[in-house]
Amino acid sequence: MTNQREQYEAATRALHAPFAVVDLAAFRANATALTRRAHGRPVRVVSKSLRCRHLMRAALDLPGYAGIMAFTLPEALWLATDEEQGPLSDDILVAYPTADRDALARLARTPRAARAITLMVDSTAHLDLVTAAVAEASGARGPDAPPIRVCLDIDTSWQPLGPRLRVGTYRSPVRTPAQAAALARAVLRRPELLLDGVMAYEGQIAGVGDAPPGKPLLGRVLRGVQRRSAVELARRRAAVVGAVREVADVRFVNGGGTGSLHTTGRERAVTELAAGSGFYHPHLFDHFRAFDGRPAALFALPVVRRPAPDVATVLGGGYPASGPVDALRPPVPHLPEGLSYTAGEGAGEVQTPLVGAAARDLEVGDRVWMRHAKAGEMCERFGTLHLVDGDTGEYLGSAPTYRGEGRTFL
């Protein structure tokens, strides 16, 4: 770790903290490890986790990656039709439903976007929104305008005792083969739409570490729950896909995430996977037993105070991750090793005191290297990602984040 800190310091000697970096050597190593776990399935690049077009393009240029999973329709429209840098992909799946009527109207009026973008739906209310947008845009659509592509979102939660005991995220109300087939038939009744795919993302497996630090008993419980959930879901996902394909053929069946590629990739019903967090390997992903990654995205904060011999105070740092409020949500001090938060202040908006043996050796102007709990959320704090090679200590340039390009989609 000492050598790693020296490499980062050497690569960024000319920069003034705070700033964010992506270690491209670690990024590429993580990308290779992700596809190695995918069992030959192509992997969609999850934009929410990268939020940087340059790095998304770099990922798509690597073997094993195809298509993008976006998180909003305005974002997908930008990625599919940007005239300045050119389209990033002609295969963009929007992972969440939209109620943005203006964006839907733009999609309906733009044939290039309609051919590239697939919307997520889980109810006839979503279908009605899309068909209304198409009707409103009818004057701007030519006779050869393509239909709007849609994908069915399937609930993946594990419910061993029915809805009273639910393990997993609240996403889609579509759970059973019969419900999926009924929604597929509802799509077919609307000639403006094309049923393009099925998605079933198992967040309770892909996004929940099975080795929580300091909690071995909870880890055993989590692993047992995840095993049972994976078995149940594999059977139900296959049945859902079979029921939908009896109604209409679909181009793809998407599943998995960084934490579940190695299991979901074995399912015959799944044709493609998705991953994003694994490229950056934020600290929440340290707590999975099935794989190891290299921290690739970090941010450096300057030491601005020494209020006591064993305390070093850095500028900023209060960048908590979304999700349940717990001890794992704040960033973690990464380098130098041996730093931690104070119990009374934690990670502060403007300043953060850090304690530990390493604090004694830090001086005003030194840097502390931090890791965010999640991947893309770090990019909402910085307009630029400085690209470095953590193996050689080289500075390789910079790339704007979404925020740096003036794009804040959520």
Side-chain angles (χ1 to χ4, degrees), residues 210-347:
D210 62 357
K215 299 178 180 179
L217 180 58
L218 176 59
R220 286 196 290 272
V221 172
L222 283 172
R223 291 190 289 276
V225 167
Q226 288 177 339
R227 281 194 299 271
R228 288 166 175 78
S229 176
V231 170
E232 185 275 335
L233 178 58
R235 293 170 178 163
R236 182 159 53 87
R237 183 154 39 200
V240 164
V241 172
V244 170
R245 288 194 185 278
E246 288 182 3
V247 176
D249 195 16
V250 291
R251 181 171 61 96
F252 65 87
V253 177
N254 182 279
T258 290
S260 63
L261 296 179
H262 57 292
T263 54
T264 308
R266 295 193 186 102
E267 295 183 33
R268 294 180 63 183
V270 174
T271 67
E272 63 171 43
L273 305 171
S277 295
F279 288 98
Y280 289 170
H281 198 81
H283 78 75
L284 281 180
F285 284 83
D286 291 346
H287 311 305
F288 286 78
R289 296 202 318 169
F291 61 92
D292 292 315
R294 291 173 56 180
L298 306 96
F299 57 97
L301 302 178
V303 175
V304 292
R305 297 184 192 228
R306 289 302 316 273
D310 60 347
V311 180
T313 300
V314 296
L315 181 69
Y319 310 153
S322 58
V325 179
D326 59 32
L328 295 176
R329 297 297 134 179
V332 295
H334 182 54
L335 298 171
E337 293 179 300
L339 295 172
S340 60
Y341 297 119
T342 64
E345 294 189 56

Side-chain angles (χ1 to χ4, degrees), residues 15 18-22 51-52 55 298-299 378-387 395 397-405:
L15 303 179
F19 57 82
V21 304
V22 170
R51 301 194 205 197
C52 171
L55 291 175
L298 306 96
F299 57 97
M378 182 190 80
C379 295
E380 297 301 333
R381 297 285 181 169
F382 298 93
T384 299
L385 296 176
H386 294 279
L387 309 177
Y395 181 80
S398 65
T401 62
Y402 278 14
R403 177 176 176 172
E405 295 198 68

Side-chain angles (χ1 to χ4, degrees), residues 106 111 114 138 141 239 293 299 351:
R106 285 176 56 204
S138 59
R141 286 168 61 86
F299 57 97
Q351 67 166 38

